[in-house]
Amino acid sequence: MRRLMERLRSGEVLLVDGALGTMLIARGLAPGRCPESINLERPQWLVEIARAYREAGADVLTANTFGGSPLSLERYGLAEDTEAIQRAAIRATREAAGDEAFIAVSCGPSGRLMKPYGDTEPDEVSDSFRRQLRAIAAAGVDLIAIETMTDLDEAVLAVQAAREVASGVPISATLTFEDTPRGFFTIMGHDIEQAAARLAEAGADIIGSNCGQGIETMLRITAGFQEHSSLPLIVQPNAGLPQTRASEVIYPESPEFMAQRLPALLDAGASIIGGCCGTTPAHTAAFRRVLDDHIR
Ligand SMILES: [Zn+2]
């Protein structure tokens, strides 16, 4: 299998899988439980979910390591299992991927606010990312996906940590933006232009956005990145904003609704496309059909 960056550079569009968290909840992950505890307790769930995404046509399968940094695992008393949690996630994803899909590992926020806004030292956050990413690099993966970052400073620390301990592994970095009357900003107040510049400078190979408010806003965010960057763009929208109905959380954007807007996302410059919260293998299958038509 040709390497991931090589395939992107040749102009191919790659399809990443969809949500993991909401799929785990649908399978019975109890509210308040650590999603990464599944890696050790029920790895078979991960194999089944990844297999469903692969069968739906995903080129890239994501390991369940979003909250796998020791700072994030600490909230559940699982920091000492950091290495075992990464290894188990990658093993399960590899079992589903075989030789047919790339393996990405997810690296989400630490869950801490750094000084001066919070009480956590940036060094503590860097150390935490380094420990997670060192374990990931040792297991061998095709992509480190730093994602759902709302603090650009933290995203930069994660990219730098990946560069340091996992050299040679491609790095993608995506932020979540709020749609404001003044344009798109992260919660911490950074805009797309600042994000594009600083993530590239830190050494990201692929940049973009994930999560957020659905595919319509993601079209405009993608166009913003296209304007300010020449790096390949990765875009993973939520299936809309979650709504609560009779204590059930519903994501409103159907596979068909999102798939219809995929050509516009490609025109806006996206070259890796996937889904975030609320997307399912049905979304991935609908995206696959559009991509196959688009390529033809
Ligand atoms: Zn999301």
Side-chain angles (χ1 to χ4, degrees):
M1 193 160 64
R2 278 199 300 151
R3 295 168 77 95
L4 186 137
M5 290 307 294
E6 206 181 306
R7 282 175 62 178
L8 279 181
R9 284 192 201 105
S10 73
E12 191 176 340
V13 173
L14 293 177
L15 180 58
V16 192
D17 54 10
L20 258 175
T22 42
M23 293 287 286
L24 288 171
I25 290 165
R27 258 167 209 262
L29 172 70
R33 287 294 316 278
C34 173
E36 288 73 25
S37 64
I38 296 298
N39 303 5
L40 302 177
E41 292 166 14
R42 295 184 185 273
Q44 197 53 32
W45 284 7
L46 303 179
V47 178
E48 288 162 13
I49 293 169
R51 199 170 275 152
Y53 278 122
R54 194 202 67 203
E55 284 165 4
D59 300 306
V60 184
L61 301 174
T62 311
N64 186 42
T65 52
F66 177 79
S69 66
L71 275 184
S72 182
L73 291 172
E74 199 174 72
R75 283 174 292 169
Y76 303 96
L78 293 172
E80 64 187 45
D81 294 327
T82 297
E83 285 74 17
I85 279 172
Q86 322 300 318
R87 277 196 302 268
I90 293 165
R91 194 185 309 123
T93 312
R94 183 167 289 133
E95 188 179 330
D99 296 328
E100 293 169 39
F102 292 116
I103 297 174
V105 288
S106 171
C107 173
S110 65
R112 299 283 194 90
L113 263 185
M114 293 194 294
K115 286 180 176 173
Y117 304 100
D119 58 4
T120 305
E121 294 287 351
D123 278 354
E124 206 184 330
V125 173
S126 285
D127 287 347
S128 172
F129 284 135
R130 272 196 291 268
R131 183 169 163 200
Q132 177 186 19
L133 294 167
R134 203 174 277 125
I136 281 167
V141 295
D142 302 299
L143 178 70
I144 290 172
I146 294 160
E147 57 181 1
T148 328
M149 290 285 173
T150 52
D151 181 354
L152 178 56
D153 294 331
E154 185 177 1
V156 164
L157 292 181
V159 172
Q160 288 169 339
R163 270 274 157 268
E164 206 180 307
V165 302
S167 66
V169 182
I171 302 164
S172 68
T174 56
L175 296 168
T176 303
F177 292 94
E178 307 285 311
D179 194 3
T180 81
R182 295 184 302 121
F184 289 103
F185 290 90
T186 64
I187 289 173
M188 302 299 280
H190 293 106
D191 65 16
I192 293 172
E193 187 173 0
Q194 290 169 310
R198 290 192 50 209
L199 294 173
E201 186 191 42
D205 300 291
I206 303 165
I207 60 174
S209 184
N210 77 299
C211 217
Q213 288 144 298
I215 197 158
E216 301 277 7
T217 42
M218 214 47 121
L219 281 171
R220 291 184 284 133
I221 293 171
T222 307
F225 271 104
Q226 177 78 324
E227 191 181 328
H228 295 295
S229 178
S230 54
L231 291 177
L233 302 182
I234 180 167
V235 183
Q236 295 168 282
N238 276 2
L241 272 179
Q243 301 161 4
T244 308
R245 278 183 219 147
S247 81
E248 208 187 335
V249 178
I250 311 268
Y251 287 84
E253 296 186 3
S254 68
E256 295 69 31
F257 177 88
M258 293 183 79
Q260 274 168 13
R261 283 148 185 85
L262 220 53
L265 209 52
L266 296 171
D267 290 344
S271 53
I272 306 191
I273 287 177
C276 200
C277 307
T279 58
T280 64
H283 290 80
T284 304
F287 291 2
R288 181 81 267 166
R289 285 190 289 273
V290 172
L291 291 184
D292 289 348
D293 285 348
H294 202 83
I295 290 158
R296 241 178 261 130

